[in-house]
Amino acid sequence: MLAFSIEKPGDNYGKVVTIPKPTLDGPGFALIRVLRAGVCNTDLEILQGYMGFTGVLGHEFVGIVEEVHDEIDAEWIGKRVCGDINVGCAACGVCDKQYDHRCSQMGRNHCPNRSVLGILGRNGTMAEYLTLPVRNLHPVPDDMPDEVAVFSEPLAAACRIVEQGLVSYNDPPDKVAILGDGKLGLMIAEVLGREHTERVGNGQDAPVLFGKHEHKLQLVNDTGVITKLIKDCQDSSAFNGVSPAYAGKFDVVVDATGSPDALALSAALCRPMGTLVLKSTCASTPEKPFNSAPFVIDELKVVGSRCGPIDKALALLAIPDSDPNRRSLNVAKYITKSFPLSQADEAVRCAAERSTMKVQIICNEK
């Protein structure tokens, strides 16, 4: 089969290769024919050496189940699915909830023996086929286009903030800032804007999305968030670089920039003893070392937030335009271009361009 693969860590753009079609890993697994895969910033970081990954890249997908190992799972054959990207061992204390019975997401995200699609020890989605446990699969509504279903994984990452209960909607509700107008930041704005509108109402203390690009901010004008350019909150004369009108004004700040430079700005926006949510991985460098002082001085609670509920994301994507009570979510507007799998190297180069929003790879036709 065709696949886009990294042969050595930091292989820049990888290449399209022909590799053996995968076989079922064992009991409980399914073979999935990939229809579409998405390219995200994590993929671009992996191409530069992040995680030291080699193999087939990608973790966003929609596909059709072609084969299952166990007869009991035969009902899945022919179904169109998306999937959780973490593959746990299903045997440790985390997977069977003995580690923390209060948190049903432990097994989904934190098995110490896990492999991760296209990130850690498991071939990913930029291929004609992949394998996943049936327990990882989520059925896609029949009327949902493939190009929409691919957004379930990044949208689920945004939904994880709600799932973690990091924002309070009591009276008064938390004031929330989202930093970063990249693909993930916009997905978070889509989710938190709608959540605020449904639970609080329009206008009152709506989340604020700070970004660098006016044209990107305009994409979420209808989501219930307020949009502002980052430069509007910056003040070089202030000790923390932030204008007094914004410094310490937010109960929860979500950093989705992927830049260590933005951590100081995020901390400055957050009130003392507030919550800073880190949604993207970034590393400090000798040139840009991490400064812990503002986090300690203001006693900030720093919370990581990672993979979220695919089923909740699919439910959001399935809201019809005709629904009188809930605003539909138009993710097609984020797609810049789609490429066939044979041109996956071009797709990755396109995804790395600053002007690009979302790139998808067509791995198989239905």
Side-chain angles (χ1 to χ4, degrees):
M1 69 173 185
L2 282 184
F4 181 75
S5 183
I6 303 171
E7 294 186 348
K8 60 181 180 180
D11 199 18
N12 291 320
Y13 291 108
K15 60 182 178 181
V16 178
V17 296
T18 300
I19 62 174
K21 177 180 173 181
T23 56
L24 293 171
D25 303 53
F29 274 79
L31 176 68
I32 299 154
R33 179 163 57 91
V34 182
L35 298 174
R36 282 195 179 228
V39 184
C40 83
N41 284 345
T42 299
D43 299 321
L44 301 180
E45 292 293 327
I46 288 172
L47 284 163
Q48 301 303 315
Y50 172 62
M51 294 296 291
F53 177 77
T54 58
V56 178
L57 189 63
H59 54 276
E60 303 174 2
F61 81 98
V62 61
I64 296 175
V65 178
E66 284 205 347
E67 184 182 349
V68 294
H69 186 280
D70 306 309
E71 186 175 345
I72 194 174
D73 295 322
E75 63 181 324
W76 284 93
I77 294 177
K79 285 189 176 181
R80 202 161 49 113
V81 297
C82 297
D84 296 316
I85 70 174
N86 299 290
V87 180
C89 67
C92 68
V94 171
C95 287
D96 63 16
K97 301 180 184 178
Q98 291 181 29
Y99 181 85
D100 188 346
H101 67 278
R102 297 165 299 177
C103 183
S104 61
Q105 296 85 40
M106 285 292 291
R108 184 189 70 204
N109 287 358
H110 298 296
C111 170
N113 308 311
R114 68 185 177 274
S115 59
V116 187
L117 270 180
I119 298 174
L120 176 66
R122 175 169 290 274
N123 279 338
T125 62
M126 297 181 193
E128 293 181 89
Y129 289 88
L130 61 82
T131 61
L132 272 180
V134 170
R135 66 178 180 273
N136 282 50
L137 304 181
H138 300 270
V140 174
D142 291 340
D143 59 350
M144 184 177 293
D146 292 339
E147 61 269 25
V148 171
V150 175
F151 280 88
S152 62
E153 196 282 331
L155 189 63
C159 291
R160 176 64 173 150
I161 298 171
V162 177
E163 184 181 59
Q164 289 174 285
L166 299 177
V167 179
S168 171
Y169 295 97
N170 295 329
D171 189 15
D174 281 344
K175 294 182 179 179
V176 178
I178 305 160
L179 207 58
D181 56 9
K183 295 178 281 292
L184 181 55
L186 295 172
M187 290 295 101
I188 293 169
E190 294 274 11
V191 170
L192 294 187
R194 283 168 171 76
E195 190 75 12
H196 183 91
T197 300
E198 291 179 12
R199 299 179 66 170
V200 178
N202 286 311
Q204 181 185 354
D205 294 324
V208 180
L209 171 65
F210 292 96
K212 292 183 176 180
H213 310 92
E214 188 66 53
H215 70 283
K216 292 183 179 180
L217 295 176
Q218 290 176 0
L219 292 170
V220 292
N221 279 343
D222 64 345
T223 65
V225 300
I226 297 168
T227 59
K228 292 185 179 294
L229 292 170
I230 286 178
K231 66 180 183 180
D232 293 341
C233 74
Q234 293 176 315
D235 182 351
S236 59
S237 66
F239 80 97
N240 58 7
V242 175
S243 164
Y246 296 100
K249 301 300 184 183
F250 297 94
D251 302 290
V252 180
V253 177
V254 182
D255 189 320
T257 63
S259 169
D261 291 341
L263 291 177
L265 177 58
S266 296
L269 291 170
C270 198
R271 67 165 174 82
M273 299 181 68
T275 300
L276 175 57
V277 184
L278 301 184
K279 279 304 300 185
S280 52
T281 54
C282 57
S284 61
T285 65
E287 296 78 23
K288 299 176 181 178
F290 171 70
N291 177 17
S292 64
F295 301 89
V296 175
I297 293 170
D298 285 338
E299 299 183 326
L300 301 182
K301 180 192 296 182
V302 181
V303 182
S305 183
R306 192 166 158 259
C307 304
I310 298 284
D311 55 339
K312 300 294 185 185
L314 286 169
L316 273 177
L317 292 170
I319 297 173
D321 294 338
S322 58
D323 191 317
N325 300 314
R326 304 189 72 191
R327 187 183 295 137
S328 62
L329 202 165
N330 172 25
V331 291
K333 63 188 176 184
Y334 295 114
I335 302 174
T336 298
K337 193 171 182 180
S338 297
F339 293 81
L341 180 57
S342 60
Q343 298 175 16
D345 51 347
E346 295 180 38
V348 170
R349 284 194 289 271
C350 178
E353 296 174 1
R354 285 187 175 274
S355 60
T356 297
M357 290 300 298
K358 194 66 178 180
V359 169
Q360 295 186 352
I361 298 171
I362 302 170
C363 300
N364 280 293
E365 300 290 348
K366 284 186 181 177

